[in-house]
């Protein structure tokens, strides 16, 4: 399974992108500001992430998602590793990623890939989203920021 850039004539895989972020408006902002990468098999696109430049040397991994029936099989880890490889190849020296306080599995994945927690944006998900987001029985309120030197 190879990761490749979504081509301009291809439609973004919104169903997947919205798994990682319920706001279509924010997803569209990330797609406009960044580059969308996909991983696919015969049945179609099964994974996605978006790379958005924050500064000249820093990229952020956004909207990482794996098709629901294929989660917990190592594809998410492959996507994070691919994102880091692409960022490094493109000359970035730092990768950032942000996720919710309630995203226990995601926090495990990013730290297993070497990311370190650098900060918390309190109430990010309360301020940015109209609906209450619940995950693992926890309200998603704060954004945990993580960083990796690549
Ligand atoms: N405790 C400890 N480790 C855990 C836990 C947990 N609760 N949950 C997952 N992990 C570990 C796994 O064991 C695995 O580590 P290992 O390889 O050492 O065993 C690792 O995390 C990742 O597992 P994968 O199978 O590669 O993950 P998956 O293919 O399910 O992809 C993803 C992860 C992308 C988060 C997927 O679950 C998904 O699409 N979720 C919905 C969308 C989403 O929440 N996206 C992230 C939003 S934040 C953002 O986009 C920046
Ligand atoms: N994902 C989601 N929810 C989880 C997870 C997980 N990976 N792990 C635990 N939980 C939830 C449980 O589902 C439960 O929530 P629920 O009641 O809504 O179902 C809740 O956390 C707590 O479960 P308990 O069964 O009450 O916890 P337990 O009796 O195991 O006690 C403790 C927790 C004290 C941490 C125990 O596991 C322990 O002694 N661990 C070793 C010592 C330790 O690490 N102590 C804490 C150090 S930090 C400090 O002391 C401040």
């Amino acid at each position: 399974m190879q990761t490749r850039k979504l081509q301009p004539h291809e439609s973004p895989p919104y169903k997947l992108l919205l798994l990682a972020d319920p706001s279509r408006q924010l997803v569209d902002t990330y797609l406009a500001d960044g580059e969308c990468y996909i991983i696919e098999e015969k049945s179609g696109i099964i994974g996605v992430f978006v790379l958005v430049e924050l500064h000249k040397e820093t990229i952020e991994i956004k909207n990482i998602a794996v098709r629901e029936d294929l989660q917990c099989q190592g594809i998410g880890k492959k996507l994070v590793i691919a994102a880091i490889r692409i960022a490094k190849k493109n000359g970035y020296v730092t990768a950032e990623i942000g996720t919710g306080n309630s995203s226990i599995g995601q926090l495990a994945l990013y730290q297993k890939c070497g990311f370190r927690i650098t900060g918390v944006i309190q109430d990010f998900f309360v301020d940015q989203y109209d609906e209450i987001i619940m995950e693992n029985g926890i309200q998603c309120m704060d954004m945990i920021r993580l960083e990796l030197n690549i």
Side-chain angles (χ1 to χ4, degrees), residues 2 36 39 57 61 65 67 95 103-104 109 112 124 126:
Q2 286 293 324
C36 183
I39 189 165
E57 297 188 327
I61 306 172
R67 207 173 77 191
S103 301
I104 294 168
L109 167 60
K112 282 180 173 183
F124 176 87
V126 177

Side-chain angles (χ1 to χ4, degrees), residues 90-140:
N90 291 338
Y92 295 97
V93 296
T94 308
E96 292 192 15
I97 200 159
T99 195
N101 57 284
S102 52
S103 301
I104 294 168
Q106 291 83 337
L107 285 165
L109 167 60
Y110 305 148
Q111 291 177 90
K112 282 180 173 183
C113 291
F115 283 83
R116 300 279 304 271
I117 292 174
T118 52
V120 178
I121 306 175
Q122 286 225 322
D123 286 325
F124 176 87
F125 294 97
V126 177
D127 297 337
Q128 295 288 325
Y129 295 83
D130 293 333
E131 69 274 35
I132 288 176
I133 305 169
M134 295 296 295
E135 207 181 5
N136 297 307
I138 306 163
Q139 186 180 347
C140 182

Side-chain angles (χ1 to χ4, degrees), residues 10-146:
E10 294 179 297
S11 308
Y14 276 110
K15 202 172 162 205
L16 276 176
L17 290 160
L18 290 166
L19 282 180
D21 192 321
S23 165
R24 169 81 186 235
Q25 204 184 336
L26 285 179
V27 168
D28 280 334
T29 306
Y30 304 145
L31 287 170
D33 292 349
E35 289 185 328
C36 183
Y37 290 85
I38 55 162
I39 189 165
E40 60 196 336
E41 56 169 33
K42 276 186 197 143
S43 62
I45 298 173
I46 59 166
V48 69
F49 60 84
V50 178
L51 290 181
V52 179
E53 184 180 270
L54 295 183
H55 320 287
K56 198 167 158 272
E57 297 188 327
T58 306
I59 201 119
E60 178 160 356
I61 306 172
K62 290 200 174 271
N63 275 107
I64 187 155
V66 171
R67 207 173 77 191
E68 278 170 299
D69 59 319
L70 296 173
Q71 289 176 7
C72 303
Q73 295 177 31
I75 299 169
K77 202 172 194 179
K78 268 197 189 129
L79 288 173
V80 176
I81 291 167
I84 294 165
R85 182 177 41 76
I86 292 164
K88 193 170 183 175
K89 199 173 137 213
N90 291 338
Y92 295 97
V93 296
T94 308
E96 292 192 15
I97 200 159
T99 195
N101 57 284
S102 52
S103 301
I104 294 168
Q106 291 83 337
L107 285 165
L109 167 60
Y110 305 148
Q111 291 177 90
K112 282 180 173 183
C113 291
F115 283 83
R116 300 279 304 271
I117 292 174
T118 52
V120 178
I121 306 175
Q122 286 225 322
D123 286 325
F124 176 87
F125 294 97
V126 177
D127 297 337
Q128 295 288 325
Y129 295 83
D130 293 333
E131 69 274 35
I132 288 176
I133 305 169
M134 295 296 295
E135 207 181 5
N136 297 307
I138 306 163
Q139 186 180 347
C140 182
M141 293 187 280
D142 310 316
M143 181 186 277
I144 312 293
R145 299 292 307 174
L146 301 100

